[in-house]
Amino acid sequence: MSSITVERNKISMLSCIMLCCTCMVGSGWLFSSQLAAKNAGIYAFAAWIVAAAIILSIAYCLAKVVADHPARGATTRISAISHNATFAMPFAFANWFGVAVVIATEAQATAQYLAPFFDDKLMVDGSLTWLGKGLGLILLIGYLLINWYGIKLLAKINNIVTALKIFTPCFVIAILLGSHFDTSNLSYAGESTFTAWDIFPAIIASGMIYAFNGFQVVASFASEMKDPKRNIFRVMLYSVLIVLGFYLLLQLAFMTAFPHSSLTEAGGWAGVNLSSPIVGLTIMLGLNFLMLLLMADSVIAPSAVGYTYLGTSSRMLFAMSQEKQVPGFISKKICPKRGIAIPSMLINFVISVIFLLQASSWSGLMVIVTMLHIIGYLAAPISMAALKPKTKIFGGVVFIVVSALINTVSSHDLLVTNLVMTSLILVYIASQGIVKAKLNLLFSAPFLTYAWLVFTFHNMIGVVIISLVFFIFVTNKHFVAFAQKHRVNNETTKQDSIPEVLTEIPATA
């Protein structure tokens, strides 16, 4: 095949931007505006801007690595490129497990948003009832069946699903802005007292990182886009700025359309607690014609993410099994008719069921997912600094800022995240056998030490100091050289060993 033909088959910059934008508008838009107002009040707008700036700093680090190493599935492999596969395991596990837990989050989003249409039988006092969790379980089974039988059909209608995902929120924003615009809501404090210090903790608690997570999908197929060295960061930059504009407009629409009398009764933004925020607001404003559209979108948009992520996470786990990062039986049994790795699919399904049943609300589960995303993000500044020593200062600042986000979550959520990551790493080490255990423990120890020290010294000063020491250690040229020396033969040169399964682009949350 000629080079001209290959170039024509590559994905254009515009297509990449549209894909990233689509990936950043999922179930998050249904909840984030209320959570941002509740956690930061008028500072919600600044919080969105700060969140976008943090995401763009991570994007820059990621782009610097991927531009020079446009390997397929790069988001899970950059630490393997800079160090070795064992050192990269925590970040790869965080990427995979974060995707697996999103499946439960999307099913929960649908159940929670449908609650007002079922006389609150699905949700009581901010928590899903067993009936609500039962509906979520039915949705998860639906995602499983879709991947088992109907993924080819859904691929054909995916453009329609994507169009609805984009049209619905844009249409709702336009209607809300046009129906009621009370600027006094923006300055109303009531019983709530917000300051600029509320911006940082609101970033995770309001689902902003969760909403922006789709920025990184372009890195997964950098080798398939036109001129990746020049375009990959530009794609991330433009898509994040476009989506930032969308979320700022949504925030403005929600806060100005909210009836002032209801805001007063709630005692200010901190007291606003609608289980289905956009639906609840349209009911208050008498915009009943929007309810059917929102009801449809609350099923279609999260479900599109859910079934896609089940397929994606299953293929990621299958690839990890082939690379001996998890037990080998996971990639053994493949359905010859449909080409599905049955154990991998079922394991991801069971994980999503467990998280659905133990979580009370979308926001609670979203925090766990976000924590896993953040762990995955930490790989970008580490790998950039290791491969490009001149960028170490910038990379260190980004690493510390992202690590500081961890300090804004509760000790319980941090404990759950650490237990999940430690368990996955120990399973990986056990799967490698006794002979390799010592070396695997050696390269896993820095991350595990970092994670548990952050949990132990759960304060901003402690997190900053621990993060700085960890970053300096793992990007030190001697440690990097030692890690590269102990790579498995050709582990970073076999570009297509992991890839085909890792590069399927999810329709993220």
Side-chain angles (χ1 to χ4, degrees), residues 5-21:
T5 303
V6 171
E7 186 65 22
R8 285 177 178 172
N9 288 333
K10 292 201 171 186
I11 306 169
S12 70
M13 180 177 166
L14 179 60
S15 295
C16 291
I17 292 172
M18 295 305 296
L19 175 63
C20 285
C21 289

Side-chain angles (χ1 to χ4, degrees), residues 30 37 117 144 163 174 189 233 308 313 316 321 334-335 389 403 405 407 409 423 453 466 479 498-499:
L30 298 169
F117 303 103
L144 179 65
F233 179 68
T308 305
S313 61
M316 290 172 75
S321 176
I334 301 177
C335 175
S403 296
L405 285 174
N407 191 59
V409 304
S423 299
L453 282 177
I466 293 164
F479 179 79
I498 297 177

Side-chain angles (χ1 to χ4, degrees), residues 123-152:
M123 197 165 193
V124 176
D125 296 329
S127 299
L128 284 180
T129 64
W130 282 107
L131 184 61
K133 292 182 178 182
L135 174 59
L137 181 59
I138 291 172
L139 289 167
L140 290 180
I141 293 172
Y143 302 163
L144 179 65
L145 293 176
I146 285 169
N147 276 276
W148 204 279
Y149 293 107
I151 198 66
K152 288 186 178 180

Side-chain angles (χ1 to χ4, degrees), residues 358-410:
Q358 67 85 35
S360 60
S361 65
W362 181 89
S363 59
L365 193 53
M366 174 272 297
V367 171
I368 300 297
V369 173
T370 301
M371 288 295 293
L372 292 167
H373 289 333
I374 286 175
I375 291 172
Y377 296 160
L378 293 177
I382 289 174
S383 298
M384 180 189 71
L387 294 170
K388 299 176 179 291
K390 291 182 179 181
T391 66
K392 187 171 290 190
I393 293 177
F394 179 77
V397 172
V398 174
F399 185 88
I400 291 171
V401 170
V402 176
S403 296
L405 285 174
I406 297 173
N407 191 59
T408 66
V409 304
S410 69

Side-chain angles (χ1 to χ4, degrees), residues 317-323 327-334 341 343-344:
L317 186 61
F318 175 83
M320 291 166 73
S321 176
Q322 286 193 317
E323 293 297 308
F329 77 89
I330 293 174
S331 60
K332 292 296 183 183
K333 189 174 182 181
I334 301 177
S344 178

Side-chain angles (χ1 to χ4, degrees), residues 271-308:
V272 174
N273 193 28
L274 303 175
S275 60
S276 306
I278 306 299
V279 168
L281 182 56
T282 57
I283 292 173
M284 289 180 181
L285 298 174
L287 303 174
N288 296 330
F289 69 96
L290 282 178
M291 291 175 62
L292 184 60
L293 182 62
L294 286 168
M295 187 175 182
D297 190 69
S298 69
V299 175
I300 293 175
S303 294
V305 176
Y307 69 67
T308 305

Side-chain angles (χ1 to χ4, degrees), residues 406 414 449-459 463 466-467:
I406 297 173
L414 185 53
T449 303
Y450 160 79
W452 286 106
L453 282 177
V454 167
F455 172 75
T456 303
F457 300 97
H458 196 201
N459 60 77
V463 170
I466 293 164
S467 300

